[in-house]
Amino acid sequence: MTVMTADRTQAAGAGDEAVTPTPGDVTELILQDIMAGILAPGSWLKQIDLERRYGCTRQEVRRALDRLAQKRLVQHVPNRGYHVHAPDGRQASEIAEIRLILEIGVAGRIVLNAGAPDVAQLRHLANEFDRLVLEGTLMELYEANLAFHSALLALAGNRELVELVTDIRRRTSSAPVSQWRTRARIEQSGREHHQMIAAIERRDGDALKDAITHHILQR
Amino acid sequence: MTVMTADRTQAAGAGDEAVTPTPGDVTELILQDIMAGILAPGSWLKQIDLERRYGCTRQEVRRALDRLAQKRLVQHVPNRGYHVHAPDGRQASEIAEIRLILEIGVAGRIVLNAGAPDVAQLRHLANEFDRLVLEGTLMELYEANLAFHSALLALAGNRELVELVTDIRRRTSSAPVSQWRTRARIEQSGREHHQMIAAIERRDGDALKDAITHHILQR
DNA sequence: GGAACCAAAATTGGCGCCAATTTAGGGCAA
DNA sequence: TTGCCCTAAATTGGCGCCAATTTTGGTTCC
């Protein structure tokens, strides 16, 4: 009983997936469907439906719902069930504010750390985003945007930061559709990506901050 | 054979305590014990031990462990169990960096928003901290410090931010003991609290930023 | 004497059943 | 017809049992 033994056998990461009707984690699948708008904000997530939809067991569903509730993506009402959280305007703007502070806060570091290969990588991701504006789905666009911003933040040399921002981003984007209303705005986002890259190449931290500000506040 | 059902009678065994009918959430209890250092970093958390220690069922333990694993406070190794995560130096400094960026980022807003009652409230919390330096336990001190910083951040008018920082703070402080090594450093922290308050009263955003920087980086 | 091997105990993790609670529907009375 | 209540169906949530895997301890062989 009690504790001890700091036996440190390092956990093998184990990226096991595939095989069997259960591809990976049900949490991820439900999350994707929420993001895609298939599971609309406000709708009730009946365990029996999810069970059938994803071909998994009841307890897997319950664990997934509990995790999503911890992340604030769904809300739990005891003896009633779980429903998709509908983020209000206040929360959305507060989270935008946090993103702004963080990304502005590391802009200087990004400019300092970025080398030629990093810039090339960013440019590749920005181009991928532009391509998907024409040819991709909204979901692919969302992923590409996330990839660009993750790569950008990674240049600050703070891994925790990348994960943190990825997490809080998800809190507002129950349905990414609601974010990017018009195609004009999406194309504008694409141009802003290239503005950021240009600022990084010029080692112009202030210009990068401006570009990020416009990009996040979308105005 | 199987002993005890959900029988609330305290298990004899080792002289454990924590005998509550079911206080609320087991997650919180385990968290407290991790923070208190009772469950040391690196130690394995056997489900059967926790079950007995907190007088709860197996599945409550499992849910709590899963939640703590989501929050990165414990690590899960399939078929081996959960052990308390031992944060490395890199992660600790990265999280300090994030806190720094966020708190500096809202320093201006805090100075603008803080009214006389807010300052009085902060001063009360700072005094409470000072009092506990002499009379309280390390755990109480930790709580008081958290209360001060939460109140400070709340002045920025961003509720999400308060919760976010509270969350990431926990990630490094598996054992708060490791943070505040010397009493001299703790007393220094107390003085810095008052420096921050003074800066807020003078509406001096830059002074507040300096004070926060020294406080977080502890140098 | 040491290492590899095998059997027994301990631990984790999953599955299914069933009780508690909530929701839906139909009948009865005003 | 409208409103209320009571019963039946649906849903959530908890608990115990058992299979799979790992760890421990003892034994044998080199």
Side-chain angles (χ1 to χ4, degrees), chain B residues 11-72:
Chain B
D16 293 335
E17 39 195 313
V19 127
T20 31
T22 298
D25 193 3
V26 196
T27 313
E28 210 55 39
L29 295 177
I30 299 179
L31 182 60
Q32 283 175 16
D33 284 345
I34 290 176
M35 305 266 259
I38 299 171
L39 303 173
S43 62
W44 288 94
L45 300 177
K46 295 208 204 330
Q47 295 179 8
I48 210 170
D49 289 339
L50 302 177
E51 192 175 334
R52 282 198 272 254
R53 167 172 249 270
Y54 303 106
C56 61
T57 69
R58 175 67 60 99
Q59 85 167 2
E60 281 178 294
V61 169
R62 285 216 281 248
R63 177 162 49 205
L65 288 173
D66 185 71
R67 287 180 180 173
L68 292 173
Q70 294 297 308
K71 289 189 178 156
R72 316 280 210 72

Short mmCIF file of all heavy atoms in Angstrom, two decimals, chain B residues 11-72:
data_model
loop_
_atom_site.label_atom_id
_atom_site.label_comp_id
_atom_site.label_asym_id
_atom_site.label_seq_id
_atom_site.Cartn_x
_atom_site.Cartn_y
_atom_site.Cartn_z
N ALA B 11 -12.01 1.38 5.94
CA ALA B 11 -11.22 0.17 5.89
C ALA B 11 -10.16 0.24 6.98
O ALA B 11 -9.50 1.25 7.15
CB ALA B 11 -10.57 0.02 4.54
N ALA B 12 -10.00 -0.83 7.69
CA ALA B 12 -9.01 -0.85 8.76
C ALA B 12 -7.63 -0.60 8.18
O ALA B 12 -7.19 0.50 8.06
CB ALA B 12 -9.05 -2.16 9.50
N GLY B 13 -6.95 -1.60 7.81
CA GLY B 13 -5.67 -1.43 7.11
C GLY B 13 -4.74 -0.43 7.76
O GLY B 13 -4.75 -0.20 8.95
N ALA B 14 -3.93 0.18 6.96
CA ALA B 14 -2.97 1.16 7.45
C ALA B 14 -3.71 2.37 7.97
O ALA B 14 -4.85 2.63 7.61
CB ALA B 14 -2.01 1.56 6.35
N GLY B 15 -3.07 3.12 8.79
CA GLY B 15 -3.73 4.26 9.42
C GLY B 15 -4.00 5.39 8.47
O GLY B 15 -3.55 6.50 8.68
N ASP B 16 -4.72 5.12 7.46
CA ASP B 16 -5.09 6.18 6.54
C ASP B 16 -6.19 7.02 7.14
O ASP B 16 -6.81 6.66 8.12
CB ASP B 16 -5.56 5.60 5.20
CG ASP B 16 -4.44 4.91 4.47
OD1 ASP B 16 -3.28 5.27 4.72
OD2 ASP B 16 -4.73 4.02 3.69
N GLU B 17 -6.45 8.12 6.51
CA GLU B 17 -7.55 8.94 6.96
C GLU B 17 -8.47 9.20 5.79
O GLU B 17 -8.80 8.29 5.07
CB GLU B 17 -7.03 10.24 7.54
CG GLU B 17 -5.87 10.81 6.76
CD GLU B 17 -5.16 11.88 7.56
OE1 GLU B 17 -5.87 12.72 8.10
OE2 GLU B 17 -3.93 11.87 7.65
N ALA B 18 -8.84 10.40 5.59
CA ALA B 18 -9.69 10.72 4.46
C ALA B 18 -10.94 9.90 4.49
O ALA B 18 -11.23 9.09 3.65
CB ALA B 18 -8.96 10.47 3.16
N VAL B 19 -11.74 10.08 5.50
CA VAL B 19 -12.89 9.27 5.68
C VAL B 19 -14.13 10.05 5.46
O VAL B 19 -14.80 10.36 6.38
CB VAL B 19 -12.85 8.81 7.10
CG1 VAL B 19 -14.04 9.07 7.81
CG2 VAL B 19 -12.57 7.40 7.17
N THR B 20 -14.46 10.38 4.29
CA THR B 20 -15.67 11.15 4.10
C THR B 20 -16.66 10.32 3.31
O THR B 20 -16.25 9.54 2.48
CB THR B 20 -15.37 12.43 3.38
OG1 THR B 20 -14.28 12.20 2.54
CG2 THR B 20 -15.02 13.51 4.33
N PRO B 21 -17.91 10.49 3.56
CA PRO B 21 -18.93 9.68 2.90
C PRO B 21 -18.83 9.70 1.39
O PRO B 21 -19.13 8.72 0.75
CB PRO B 21 -20.24 10.34 3.34
CG PRO B 21 -19.92 11.02 4.61
CD PRO B 21 -18.48 11.41 4.54
N THR B 22 -18.44 10.78 0.86
CA THR B 22 -18.24 11.04 -0.57
C THR B 22 -18.31 12.52 -0.76
O THR B 22 -19.34 13.07 -1.12
CB THR B 22 -19.32 10.39 -1.45
OG1 THR B 22 -19.26 8.99 -1.29
CG2 THR B 22 -19.10 10.70 -2.92
N PRO B 23 -17.20 13.15 -0.49
CA PRO B 23 -17.15 14.60 -0.37
C PRO B 23 -17.61 15.30 -1.62
O PRO B 23 -18.24 16.32 -1.59
CB PRO B 23 -15.69 14.89 -0.10
CG PRO B 23 -14.99 13.56 -0.11
CD PRO B 23 -15.92 12.54 -0.59
N GLY B 24 -17.26 14.74 -2.74
CA GLY B 24 -17.61 15.41 -3.98
C GLY B 24 -16.91 14.67 -5.08
O GLY B 24 -17.37 13.63 -5.49
N ASP B 25 -15.80 15.19 -5.47
CA ASP B 25 -15.11 14.56 -6.58
C ASP B 25 -13.78 13.99 -6.10
O ASP B 25 -13.00 14.67 -5.46
CB ASP B 25 -14.87 15.58 -7.68
CG ASP B 25 -14.45 14.90 -8.95
OD1 ASP B 25 -14.40 13.66 -8.96
OD2 ASP B 25 -14.16 15.61 -9.93
N VAL B 26 -13.55 12.75 -6.42
CA VAL B 26 -12.31 12.11 -6.03
C VAL B 26 -11.13 12.77 -6.73
O VAL B 26 -10.03 12.85 -6.18
CB VAL B 26 -12.33 10.61 -6.38
CG1 VAL B 26 -11.23 9.89 -5.65
CG2 VAL B 26 -13.67 10.03 -6.08
N THR B 27 -11.37 13.24 -7.93
CA THR B 27 -10.30 13.90 -8.69
C THR B 27 -9.65 14.99 -7.85
O THR B 27 -8.43 15.10 -7.79
CB THR B 27 -10.87 14.53 -9.97
OG1 THR B 27 -11.71 13.58 -10.63
CG2 THR B 27 -9.75 14.94 -10.90
N GLU B 28 -10.49 15.76 -7.21
CA GLU B 28 -10.00 16.88 -6.41
C GLU B 28 -9.16 16.39 -5.24
O GLU B 28 -8.13 16.97 -4.90
CB GLU B 28 -11.19 17.70 -5.92
CG GLU B 28 -10.90 19.17 -5.71
CD GLU B 28 -10.33 19.81 -6.96
OE1 GLU B 28 -10.78 19.49 -8.09
OE2 GLU B 28 -9.41 20.63 -6.81
N LEU B 29 -9.58 15.30 -4.64
CA LEU B 29 -8.85 14.76 -3.49
C LEU B 29 -7.48 14.26 -3.91
O LEU B 29 -6.48 14.53 -3.25
CB LEU B 29 -9.66 13.61 -2.86
CG LEU B 29 -10.99 14.03 -2.23
CD1 LEU B 29 -11.73 12.81 -1.70
CD2 LEU B 29 -10.74 15.03 -1.12
N ILE B 30 -7.44 13.52 -5.01
CA ILE B 30 -6.15 13.02 -5.49
C ILE B 30 -5.25 14.19 -5.85
O ILE B 30 -4.07 14.22 -5.51
CB ILE B 30 -6.35 12.11 -6.72
CG1 ILE B 30 -7.21 10.89 -6.34
CG2 ILE B 30 -5.01 11.64 -7.27
CD1 ILE B 30 -7.48 9.96 -7.49
N LEU B 31 -5.85 15.18 -6.50
CA LEU B 31 -5.09 16.37 -6.88
C LEU B 31 -4.46 17.03 -5.66
O LEU B 31 -3.28 17.36 -5.66
CB LEU B 31 -6.04 17.36 -7.58
CG LEU B 31 -5.42 18.64 -8.09
CD1 LEU B 31 -4.32 18.34 -9.10
CD2 LEU B 31 -6.47 19.52 -8.72
N GLN B 32 -5.26 17.16 -4.62
CA GLN B 32 -4.73 17.78 -3.40
C GLN B 32 -3.57 16.99 -2.83
O GLN B 32 -2.57 17.57 -2.40
CB GLN B 32 -5.85 17.87 -2.35
CG GLN B 32 -6.82 19.00 -2.60
CD GLN B 32 -7.97 19.00 -1.62
OE1 GLN B 32 -7.92 18.35 -0.58
NE2 GLN B 32 -9.03 19.72 -1.96
N ASP B 33 -3.69 15.67 -2.86
CA ASP B 33 -2.62 14.86 -2.31
C ASP B 33 -1.36 14.89 -3.17
O ASP B 33 -0.25 14.77 -2.66
CB ASP B 33 -3.10 13.40 -2.13
CG ASP B 33 -4.00 13.27 -0.91
OD1 ASP B 33 -4.01 14.21 -0.09
OD2 ASP B 33 -4.70 12.25 -0.78
N ILE B 34 -1.55 15.07 -4.47
CA ILE B 34 -0.38 15.24 -5.33
C ILE B 34 0.30 16.57 -5.01
O ILE B 34 1.51 16.64 -4.86
CB ILE B 34 -0.80 15.19 -6.81
CG1 ILE B 34 -1.23 13.78 -7.20
CG2 ILE B 34 0.36 15.64 -7.70
CD1 ILE B 34 -1.74 13.66 -8.62
N MET B 35 -0.53 17.59 -4.88
CA MET B 35 0.02 18.91 -4.59
C MET B 35 0.71 18.94 -3.24
O MET B 35 1.70 19.66 -3.04
CB MET B 35 -1.12 19.93 -4.59
CG MET B 35 -1.90 19.92 -5.86
SD MET B 35 -1.33 21.14 -7.00
CE MET B 35 -2.56 22.36 -6.73
N ALA B 36 0.16 18.20 -2.30
CA ALA B 36 0.73 18.19 -0.96
C ALA B 36 2.00 17.35 -0.89
O ALA B 36 2.69 17.35 0.13
CB ALA B 36 -0.30 17.67 0.03
N GLY B 37 2.26 16.64 -1.96
CA GLY B 37 3.47 15.82 -1.97
C GLY B 37 3.28 14.45 -1.35
O GLY B 37 4.21 13.66 -1.26
N ILE B 38 2.05 14.16 -0.92
CA ILE B 38 1.78 12.84 -0.34
C ILE B 38 1.90 11.77 -1.41
O ILE B 38 2.42 10.69 -1.17
CB ILE B 38 0.36 12.82 0.29
CG1 ILE B 38 0.29 13.86 1.41
CG2 ILE B 38 0.03 11.44 0.80
CD1 ILE B 38 -1.11 14.07 1.94
N LEU B 39 1.39 12.09 -2.57
CA LEU B 39 1.61 11.22 -3.73
C LEU B 39 2.76 11.83 -4.52
O LEU B 39 2.58 12.80 -5.25
CB LEU B 39 0.35 11.13 -4.57
CG LEU B 39 -0.91 10.65 -3.82
CD1 LEU B 39 -2.14 10.75 -4.70
CD2 LEU B 39 -0.71 9.22 -3.35
N ALA B 40 3.93 11.27 -4.34
CA ALA B 40 5.14 11.89 -4.87
C ALA B 40 5.26 11.74 -6.38
O ALA B 40 4.74 10.77 -6.95
CB ALA B 40 6.36 11.28 -4.20
N PRO B 41 5.92 12.69 -7.02
CA PRO B 41 6.17 12.59 -8.46
C PRO B 41 6.90 11.30 -8.80
O PRO B 41 7.88 10.94 -8.13
CB PRO B 41 7.06 13.80 -8.74
CG PRO B 41 6.73 14.77 -7.67
CD PRO B 41 6.41 13.94 -6.47
N GLY B 42 6.43 10.61 -9.79
CA GLY B 42 7.06 9.36 -10.20
C GLY B 42 6.41 8.13 -9.60
O GLY B 42 6.54 7.04 -10.14
N SER B 43 5.70 8.30 -8.50
CA SER B 43 5.12 7.12 -7.84
C SER B 43 3.92 6.59 -8.61
O SER B 43 3.19 7.34 -9.26
CB SER B 43 4.71 7.48 -6.42
OG SER B 43 3.72 8.48 -6.44
N TRP B 44 3.73 5.29 -8.53
CA TRP B 44 2.61 4.66 -9.22
C TRP B 44 1.36 4.74 -8.37
O TRP B 44 1.40 4.50 -7.16
CB TRP B 44 2.93 3.19 -9.52
CG TRP B 44 3.96 3.07 -10.60
CD1 TRP B 44 5.30 2.95 -10.42
CD2 TRP B 44 3.73 3.06 -12.01
NE1 TRP B 44 5.92 2.87 -11.64
CE2 TRP B 44 5.00 2.93 -12.63
CE3 TRP B 44 2.59 3.15 -12.80
CZ2 TRP B 44 5.15 2.89 -14.01
CZ3 TRP B 44 2.74 3.11 -14.16
CH2 TRP B 44 4.01 2.98 -14.77
N LEU B 45 0.26 5.06 -9.01
CA LEU B 45 -1.01 5.17 -8.31
C LEU B 45 -1.81 3.91 -8.54
O LEU B 45 -2.48 3.76 -9.55
CB LEU B 45 -1.77 6.40 -8.84
CG LEU B 45 -1.04 7.73 -8.66
CD1 LEU B 45 -1.84 8.85 -9.28
CD2 LEU B 45 -0.77 7.99 -7.21
N LYS B 46 -1.74 3.00 -7.61
CA LYS B 46 -2.48 1.75 -7.74
C LYS B 46 -3.95 1.99 -7.44
O LYS B 46 -4.31 2.59 -6.44
CB LYS B 46 -1.92 0.71 -6.79
CG LYS B 46 -0.50 0.29 -7.10
CD LYS B 46 -0.28 -1.12 -6.62
CE LYS B 46 1.17 -1.47 -6.33
NZ LYS B 46 2.20 -0.82 -7.09
N GLN B 47 -4.78 1.50 -8.33
CA GLN B 47 -6.21 1.76 -8.22
C GLN B 47 -6.78 1.25 -6.91
O GLN B 47 -7.62 1.88 -6.28
CB GLN B 47 -6.94 1.14 -9.41
CG GLN B 47 -6.56 1.77 -10.73
CD GLN B 47 -7.27 1.13 -11.90
OE1 GLN B 47 -8.16 0.31 -11.72
NE2 GLN B 47 -6.89 1.52 -13.11
N ILE B 48 -6.29 0.09 -6.50
CA ILE B 48 -6.84 -0.52 -5.30
C ILE B 48 -6.50 0.30 -4.06
O ILE B 48 -7.29 0.38 -3.13
CB ILE B 48 -6.33 -1.98 -5.17
CG1 ILE B 48 -7.40 -2.81 -4.46
CG2 ILE B 48 -4.99 -2.06 -4.50
CD1 ILE B 48 -7.12 -4.28 -4.49
N ASP B 49 -5.32 0.91 -4.08
CA ASP B 49 -4.94 1.77 -2.96
C ASP B 49 -5.83 3.00 -2.86
O ASP B 49 -6.34 3.34 -1.80
CB ASP B 49 -3.48 2.22 -3.11
CG ASP B 49 -2.52 1.09 -2.87
OD1 ASP B 49 -2.92 0.10 -2.23
OD2 ASP B 49 -1.37 1.19 -3.33
N LEU B 50 -6.01 3.66 -4.02
CA LEU B 50 -6.81 4.88 -4.05
C LEU B 50 -8.25 4.58 -3.63
O LEU B 50 -8.86 5.33 -2.88
CB LEU B 50 -6.79 5.47 -5.46
CG LEU B 50 -5.40 5.81 -6.00
CD1 LEU B 50 -5.49 6.32 -7.42
CD2 LEU B 50 -4.71 6.83 -5.13
N GLU B 51 -8.73 3.46 -4.14
CA GLU B 51 -10.08 3.00 -3.83
C GLU B 51 -10.28 2.96 -2.31
O GLU B 51 -11.26 3.47 -1.78
CB GLU B 51 -10.22 1.61 -4.43
CG GLU B 51 -11.59 1.03 -4.49
CD GLU B 51 -11.53 -0.31 -5.22
OE1 GLU B 51 -10.61 -0.49 -6.06
OE2 GLU B 51 -12.38 -1.16 -4.95
N ARG B 52 -9.30 2.35 -1.64
CA ARG B 52 -9.41 2.23 -0.19
C ARG B 52 -9.18 3.57 0.50
O ARG B 52 -9.90 3.96 1.41
CB ARG B 52 -8.39 1.21 0.33
CG ARG B 52 -8.83 -0.23 0.09
CD ARG B 52 -8.06 -1.17 0.97
NE ARG B 52 -6.81 -1.60 0.33
CZ ARG B 52 -6.64 -2.80 -0.19
NH1 ARG B 52 -7.63 -3.67 -0.19
NH2 ARG B 52 -5.49 -3.12 -0.73
N ARG B 53 -8.18 4.28 0.03
CA ARG B 53 -7.79 5.54 0.68
C ARG B 53 -8.92 6.55 0.69
O ARG B 53 -9.13 7.25 1.67
CB ARG B 53 -6.56 6.10 -0.02
CG ARG B 53 -6.22 7.52 0.32
CD ARG B 53 -4.88 7.91 -0.29
NE ARG B 53 -3.89 8.10 0.73
CZ ARG B 53 -3.65 9.27 1.32
NH1 ARG B 53 -4.36 10.31 0.99
NH2 ARG B 53 -2.72 9.38 2.23
N TYR B 54 -9.63 6.64 -0.42
CA TYR B 54 -10.67 7.67 -0.51
C TYR B 54 -12.07 7.09 -0.31
O TYR B 54 -13.06 7.79 -0.44
CB TYR B 54 -10.59 8.39 -1.86
CG TYR B 54 -9.24 9.01 -2.10
CD1 TYR B 54 -8.34 8.44 -3.00
CD2 TYR B 54 -8.84 10.14 -1.39
CE1 TYR B 54 -7.09 9.00 -3.20
CE2 TYR B 54 -7.60 10.70 -1.58
CZ TYR B 54 -6.73 10.13 -2.49
OH TYR B 54 -5.49 10.68 -2.68
N GLY B 55 -12.11 5.79 -0.04
CA GLY B 55 -13.40 5.18 0.22
C GLY B 55 -14.37 5.33 -0.92
O GLY B 55 -15.54 5.68 -0.73
N CYS B 56 -13.91 5.07 -2.12
CA CYS B 56 -14.79 5.21 -3.27
C CYS B 56 -14.69 3.96 -4.14
O CYS B 56 -13.94 3.04 -3.84
CB CYS B 56 -14.41 6.44 -4.08
SG CYS B 56 -12.75 6.39 -4.73
N THR B 57 -15.43 3.94 -5.21
CA THR B 57 -15.47 2.74 -6.05
C THR B 57 -14.34 2.75 -7.08
O THR B 57 -13.71 3.78 -7.31
CB THR B 57 -16.80 2.66 -6.81
OG1 THR B 57 -16.83 3.69 -7.78
CG2 THR B 57 -17.96 2.79 -5.86
N ARG B 58 -14.15 1.61 -7.68
CA ARG B 58 -13.10 1.47 -8.68
C ARG B 58 -13.30 2.42 -9.85
O ARG B 58 -12.39 3.08 -10.33
CB ARG B 58 -13.08 0.02 -9.19
CG ARG B 58 -12.11 -0.23 -10.33
CD ARG B 58 -10.69 -0.07 -9.90
NE ARG B 58 -10.33 -0.98 -8.84
CZ ARG B 58 -9.69 -2.12 -9.01
NH1 ARG B 58 -9.31 -2.48 -10.21
NH2 ARG B 58 -9.38 -2.89 -7.99
N GLN B 59 -14.52 2.51 -10.32
CA GLN B 59 -14.73 3.31 -11.53
C GLN B 59 -14.59 4.81 -11.25
O GLN B 59 -14.23 5.57 -12.15
CB GLN B 59 -16.08 3.00 -12.16
CG GLN B 59 -17.25 3.74 -11.60
CD GLN B 59 -18.47 3.59 -12.49
OE1 GLN B 59 -18.44 2.91 -13.50
NE2 GLN B 59 -19.55 4.20 -12.09
N GLU B 60 -14.86 5.21 -10.02
CA GLU B 60 -14.61 6.61 -9.68
C GLU B 60 -13.12 6.90 -9.73
O GLU B 60 -12.69 7.95 -10.22
CB GLU B 60 -15.15 6.92 -8.28
CG GLU B 60 -16.64 7.14 -8.24
CD GLU B 60 -17.14 7.40 -6.83
OE1 GLU B 60 -17.06 6.49 -5.98
OE2 GLU B 60 -17.61 8.51 -6.56
N VAL B 61 -12.34 5.96 -9.25
CA VAL B 61 -10.88 6.10 -9.30
C VAL B 61 -10.43 6.19 -10.75
O VAL B 61 -9.62 7.04 -11.11
CB VAL B 61 -10.19 4.92 -8.60
CG1 VAL B 61 -8.71 4.92 -8.90
CG2 VAL B 61 -10.44 4.96 -7.11
N ARG B 62 -10.97 5.31 -11.56
CA ARG B 62 -10.53 5.29 -12.96
C ARG B 62 -10.87 6.59 -13.67
O ARG B 62 -10.07 7.14 -14.41
CB ARG B 62 -11.18 4.11 -13.69
CG ARG B 62 -10.55 2.78 -13.31
CD ARG B 62 -10.50 1.84 -14.48
NE ARG B 62 -11.78 1.19 -14.73
CZ ARG B 62 -12.01 -0.11 -14.55
NH1 ARG B 62 -11.04 -0.88 -14.09
NH2 ARG B 62 -13.16 -0.62 -14.81
N ARG B 63 -12.07 7.09 -13.41
CA ARG B 63 -12.47 8.36 -14.04
C ARG B 63 -11.56 9.49 -13.58
O ARG B 63 -11.10 10.31 -14.38
CB ARG B 63 -13.93 8.68 -13.71
CG ARG B 63 -14.37 10.00 -14.28
CD ARG B 63 -15.88 10.12 -14.34
NE ARG B 63 -16.52 9.76 -13.08
CZ ARG B 63 -17.76 9.32 -12.99
NH1 ARG B 63 -18.48 9.16 -14.08
NH2 ARG B 63 -18.29 9.04 -11.82
N ALA B 64 -11.28 9.51 -12.28
CA ALA B 64 -10.41 10.56 -11.75
C ALA B 64 -9.03 10.48 -12.39
O ALA B 64 -8.46 11.49 -12.80
CB ALA B 64 -10.30 10.42 -10.23
N LEU B 65 -8.49 9.28 -12.50
CA LEU B 65 -7.16 9.12 -13.08
C LEU B 65 -7.16 9.55 -14.54
O LEU B 65 -6.20 10.17 -15.01
CB LEU B 65 -6.70 7.67 -12.95
CG LEU B 65 -6.33 7.23 -11.54
CD1 LEU B 65 -6.05 5.74 -11.49
CD2 LEU B 65 -5.12 8.00 -11.04
N ASP B 66 -8.22 9.22 -15.24
CA ASP B 66 -8.31 9.62 -16.64
C ASP B 66 -8.33 11.14 -16.77
O ASP B 66 -7.67 11.72 -17.62
CB ASP B 66 -9.56 9.02 -17.28
CG ASP B 66 -9.63 9.31 -18.78
OD1 ASP B 66 -8.82 8.71 -19.51
OD2 ASP B 66 -10.45 10.15 -19.20
N ARG B 67 -9.09 11.78 -15.87
CA ARG B 67 -9.15 13.24 -15.92
C ARG B 67 -7.79 13.85 -15.61
O ARG B 67 -7.35 14.79 -16.28
CB ARG B 67 -10.17 13.76 -14.90
CG ARG B 67 -11.59 13.52 -15.34
CD ARG B 67 -12.57 14.05 -14.30
NE ARG B 67 -13.93 13.82 -14.73
CZ ARG B 67 -14.99 14.07 -13.96
NH1 ARG B 67 -14.82 14.55 -12.74
NH2 ARG B 67 -16.21 13.84 -14.40
N LEU B 68 -7.13 13.32 -14.62
CA LEU B 68 -5.81 13.86 -14.26
C LEU B 68 -4.82 13.62 -15.39
O LEU B 68 -3.91 14.42 -15.61
CB LEU B 68 -5.32 13.22 -12.96
CG LEU B 68 -6.11 13.61 -11.72
CD1 LEU B 68 -5.68 12.81 -10.51
CD2 LEU B 68 -5.95 15.10 -11.44
N ALA B 69 -4.99 12.51 -16.10
CA ALA B 69 -4.10 12.23 -17.23
C ALA B 69 -4.36 13.23 -18.36
O ALA B 69 -3.43 13.69 -19.02
CB ALA B 69 -4.31 10.81 -17.73
N GLN B 70 -5.64 13.61 -18.54
CA GLN B 70 -5.95 14.62 -19.55
C GLN B 70 -5.30 15.94 -19.21
O GLN B 70 -4.85 16.67 -20.08
CB GLN B 70 -7.47 14.82 -19.64
CG GLN B 70 -8.25 13.62 -20.14
CD GLN B 70 -7.88 13.24 -21.55
OE1 GLN B 70 -7.88 14.08 -22.44
NE2 GLN B 70 -7.51 11.99 -21.75
N LYS B 71 -5.23 16.23 -17.93
CA LYS B 71 -4.63 17.49 -17.48
C LYS B 71 -3.13 17.37 -17.34
O LYS B 71 -2.47 18.26 -16.83
CB LYS B 71 -5.24 17.90 -16.14
CG LYS B 71 -6.66 18.37 -16.27
CD LYS B 71 -7.15 18.97 -14.96
CE LYS B 71 -8.56 19.50 -15.11
NZ LYS B 71 -9.28 19.57 -13.85
N ARG B 72 -2.59 16.22 -17.70
CA ARG B 72 -1.14 16.00 -17.67
C ARG B 72 -0.57 15.94 -16.27
O ARG B 72 0.65 16.11 -16.09
CB ARG B 72 -0.40 17.12 -18.41
CG ARG B 72 -1.00 17.51 -19.72
CD ARG B 72 -0.58 16.51 -20.77
NE ARG B 72 -0.49 17.11 -22.07
CZ ARG B 72 0.47 17.96 -22.42
NH1 ARG B 72 1.40 18.32 -21.59
NH2 ARG B 72 0.49 18.44 -23.64
#
